[in-house]
Amino acid sequence: MIPYGRQDITQADVDAVIEVLHSTNLTQGPAIPRFEQAVLVHCGSKYAFAVSSATAALHIACLALELGPGDLLWTTPNTFVASANCGLYCGADVDFVDIDPVTYNLCPRALEQKLQAAEQAGRLPKIVVPVHLCGQPCDMRAIHELSQRYGFKIIEDASHAIGGKYLGEPVGNCRYSDITVFSFHPVKIITTAEGGMALTNDEQLATRLGLLRSHGITRDPALMTREMDGPWYYQQVALGYNYRMTDLQAALGASQMNRLEQYVARRHAIADRYKQLLADLPLTLPWQHPDGYSAYHLYVIRLQLEKIQCTHLQVFEGLRSKGIMANLHYIPVHTQPYYQQLGFKEGDYPKAEQYYREAISIPMHPLLTETEQDIVCNALYSLCHEQN
């Protein structure tokens, strides 16, 4: 099977993890700040907090921004459920903004229209979570301008986008957001096996994120309510979580950071070759906005179904039958049974739903060979010209 995504583990990665295994710190040791610093240096932001998953990072980001019952979080329906669930974890309500049909990201024009209506109704969001789908950055400058006008906070869900750029600067610098979140799942650009990170430039948010990551416990005298009893002393000053990353994971992540730019460049080379090989097929290929430089976590094609004889399902199953582990990113969140119980229904966000009816993620990862890419393209050629 040719996977749609996979990790690349080198001997340097293995050696970095073994070094930690032979050390005295398997967790809460020096590998964590070393990994965080590597990401900060790349992104140009001030504070970073490595955590157990991007979902954990989204959760503590919402809590750090004091999202709670009675508040409202908006995100895109075209994302993994975690981008919306983080609001529900905090007791807030969740709503969605439809996508731009070209970039597949949250549409700033739709956001502005929805904000105008929400302002009149007296129900503006406290947080908006734009998602950099497939690694392509959202139009963050436009979203940030709207945040200044309407007073909401921004969490960039950049789970797909470490190594990407927006307006010539690295995704993760938080220039247009309060907090940025990365994912290090094995199919992402770099991996820590499981893991995530929250970045910010705000000192107060950084203090909250640090507390929320580890039980709300501090050893910083400046955050305590009284003098320390001794060097062993700590205080729980907030209700936090056990969302820590281990040193084993952080060592792997720090090692992988050494190849981040190489990985993204390789993904671009694969995307360029797909563009050449698939140009004559009845497919809509990914369009890259000139303001952004995608990390190309995913390569999503859209079937021009009116021009082919097969259905969406038949093309998908045809790829699988040929040993190609295609996938689909994503099922619109508002169509999930849990969210339909909350009152959402099919037809609420038609552009995201249309995308879902046509989209297929084909293999995209640094280890993909030209031979494997040829197999994928030949399979698509055959399926697009096959009679139903």
Side-chain angles (χ1 to χ4, degrees), residues 54-182:
T55 301
L58 286 166
H59 186 195
I60 64 172
C62 289
L63 291 170
L65 291 168
E66 301 182 321
L67 186 73
D71 294 328
L72 187 57
L73 177 146
W74 289 0
T75 189
T76 169
N78 193 17
T79 184
F80 186 58
V81 294
S83 308
N85 287 351
C86 59
L88 301 182
Y89 296 158
C90 300
D93 296 322
V94 170
D95 204 351
F96 301 95
V97 179
D98 212 347
I99 65 169
D100 181 314
V102 178
T103 66
Y104 315 148
N105 286 331
L106 184 148
C107 178
R109 293 171 298 282
L111 175 61
E112 183 173 16
Q113 293 170 0
K114 188 158 185 157
L115 286 166
Q116 291 170 349
E119 185 176 45
Q120 293 179 355
R123 184 69 168 135
L124 285 165
K126 186 167 188 175
I127 294 175
V128 171
V129 182
V131 178
H132 302 326
L133 189 76
C134 305
Q136 169 153 249
C138 296
D139 187 349
M140 292 305 302
R141 184 165 55 185
I143 295 170
H144 181 261
E145 288 175 356
L146 290 170
S147 78
Q148 300 301 295
R149 194 187 317 169
Y150 290 98
F152 58 85
K153 302 295 185 181
I154 299 173
I155 300 172
E156 280 182 80
D157 187 343
S159 294
H160 295 184
I162 190 168
K165 296 179 183 179
Y166 177 68
L167 295 176
E169 297 181 330
V171 171
N173 64 10
C174 299
R175 182 179 299 277
Y176 299 105
S177 63
D178 298 278
I179 299 172
T180 300
V181 167
F182 289 136

Side-chain angles (χ1 to χ4, degrees), residues 242-363:
N242 183 1
Y243 281 165
R244 297 188 301 263
M245 177 181 283
T246 69
D247 272 48
L248 297 170
Q249 294 169 297
L252 175 57
S255 178
Q256 293 248 313
M257 280 296 295
N258 292 323
R259 303 191 300 282
L260 175 60
E261 292 185 4
Q262 174 187 330
Y263 282 152
V264 176
R266 175 62 185 144
R267 289 171 179 271
H268 272 262
I270 292 168
D272 289 344
R273 193 162 185 268
Y274 269 140
K275 186 175 181 179
Q276 295 172 5
L277 295 174
L278 300 175
D280 295 331
L281 292 180
L283 305 171
T284 301
L285 304 181
W287 178 78
Q288 296 303 294
H289 196 288
D291 287 345
Y293 176 76
S294 178
Y296 268 122
H297 163 51
L298 299 169
Y299 194 89
V300 175
I301 60 171
R302 292 180 69 170
L303 306 178
Q304 297 174 11
L305 293 169
E306 72 281 3
K307 297 180 182 179
I308 63 177
Q309 297 299 313
C310 290
T311 67
H312 186 213
L313 177 61
Q314 286 169 334
V315 174
F316 188 92
E317 290 182 335
L319 290 170
R320 290 280 182 100
S321 72
K322 296 174 186 292
I324 300 161
M325 188 54 66
N327 213 325
L328 203 162
H329 300 85
Y330 288 98
I331 304 168
V333 179
H334 72 283
T335 66
Q336 295 290 349
Y338 185 85
Y339 279 84
Q340 294 201 333
Q341 291 173 13
L342 298 177
F344 296 100
K345 62 185 183 303
E346 292 187 23
D348 284 347
Y349 305 99
K351 293 176 182 176
E353 293 170 29
Q354 183 64 32
Y355 164 92
Y356 171 64
R357 288 191 288 269
E358 301 169 353
I360 297 177
S361 299
I362 60 176

